[in-house]
Amino acid sequence: MTVNMSEKNVIVTGAGGGIGRATSLKLAEAGANLVLVDFNDELVAQTLELVKAVGVNAITIHADVTKDEEVKNYVEVSVNEFGTIDGFYNNAGIEGKIGPVAELDKNDWDKVVAVNLTGVYLGMRYVLPVMIAQGSGSVVCTGSIASTLGLPQTIAYNAAKHGVAGIVRTAAAEVAKDGVRVNAVAPGMINTRMLHDIAGHLIPGMDKKEAAKIAAQGASPMGRLGEPEEIANVVRFLLSDESSFMTGAIVAVDGGTTCTASNDG
């Protein structure tokens, strides 16, 4: 299936990261104009260079997604630059400190929840009025297998990703009548820096990338890591008109991890 997003204007937060960058490239290949948002100026500049090589219009905006005024600003700049916001990939997230619930410092909890949950809410808070006013738009948030499963030693991340699922379902029910769709993609174990760091912590003494491969083999019936591009393909579909009758969905892209409690046979 060829997805055509020419003349569509899309915001991507966390555009400097693995899934954010892969999705930005997939959207560019489909013809979308892009607003690339990230806190890391160096990484998002690299994404900008890659998408501009495809030949689309794109800009970058530095923003902390936990700050109300900075989120409001990236939305206003997007409208001023391109006129409409046809798609919004509400993606920025961090893993935070890995460790048991009984040892997690409140400051570490607050940081993860601020980025992964409050940041998602704030993006919706300022993008949805634009889409409602224009009578169209598609929002995709990044959930996780942690939106469904309990993952030991990731309490803040897990709680926030459960919350993302609630935000998506609630917003979808509210704005469907306005012609706006809201869905989420729920990645499993994906070959990114974030998973490497988590796996390296959980399997100490082993190369991080190798630890991630072993973790995926044990969790996924497919027995392998997913690639960022495999998430990006689904995000692009959900942002496009090809998914016109989908809203309120949390779409698992996880190699089957959440379809079974165990793959031991």
Side-chain angles (χ1 to χ4, degrees), residues 2 48 73 90 105 117 143 156 167 205 208 260-261:
T2 300
L48 178 66
N73 177 68
N90 201 1
D105 185 84
L117 189 60
I167 287 175
K208 291 180 179 181
T260 178

Side-chain angles (χ1 to χ4, degrees), residues 14-49:
I19 292 174
R21 177 174 294 172
T23 302
S24 298
L25 281 167
K26 291 288 185 180
L27 292 168
E29 289 166 1
N33 301 313
L34 296 169
V35 177
L36 306 172
V37 179
D38 207 293
F39 189 73
N40 188 313
D41 295 335
E42 180 179 354
L43 289 179
V44 78
Q46 293 170 6
T47 302
L48 178 66
E49 183 177 351

Side-chain angles (χ1 to χ4, degrees), residues 8-9 79 82-88 127-138 178-180:
K8 299 283 190 182
N9 306 312
V79 173
F82 293 116
T84 63
I85 301 174
D86 303 298
F88 176 38
V127 167
L128 285 179
V130 175
M131 291 183 169
I132 290 167
Q134 66 195 25
S136 64
S138 178
D178 301 300
V180 180

Side-chain angles (χ1 to χ4, degrees), residues 188-200 208 212 215-216 225:
M189 294 189 176
I190 308 302
N191 191 16
T192 62
R193 190 278 314 160
M194 180 184 289
L195 180 64
H196 298 162
D197 286 351
I198 292 172
K208 291 180 179 181
L225 290 169

Side-chain angles (χ1 to χ4, degrees), residues 112-220:
V112 173
V113 171
V115 175
N116 293 5
L117 189 60
T118 303
V120 170
Y121 148 70
L122 286 173
M124 303 279 268
R125 168 66 184 84
Y126 289 107
V127 167
L128 285 179
V130 175
M131 291 183 169
I132 290 167
Q134 66 195 25
S136 64
S138 178
V139 177
V140 177
C141 298
T142 298
S144 168
I145 55 173
S147 298
T148 304
L149 303 175
L151 302 179
Q153 301 198 51
T154 64
I155 183 64
Y157 180 85
N158 195 278
K161 291 301 185 180
H162 269 69
V164 168
I167 287 175
V168 166
R169 291 174 177 133
T170 299
E174 289 180 0
V175 301
K177 65 183 183 302
D178 301 300
V180 180
R181 299 183 299 108
V182 184
N183 294 288
V185 64
M189 294 189 176
I190 308 302
N191 191 16
T192 62
R193 190 278 314 160
M194 180 184 289
L195 180 64
H196 298 162
D197 286 351
I198 292 172
H201 180 88
L202 297 177
I203 311 177
M206 180 179 289
D207 175 78
K208 291 180 179 181
K209 292 183 179 180
E210 189 62 28
K213 289 180 181 179
I214 290 174
Q217 288 169 359
S220 164

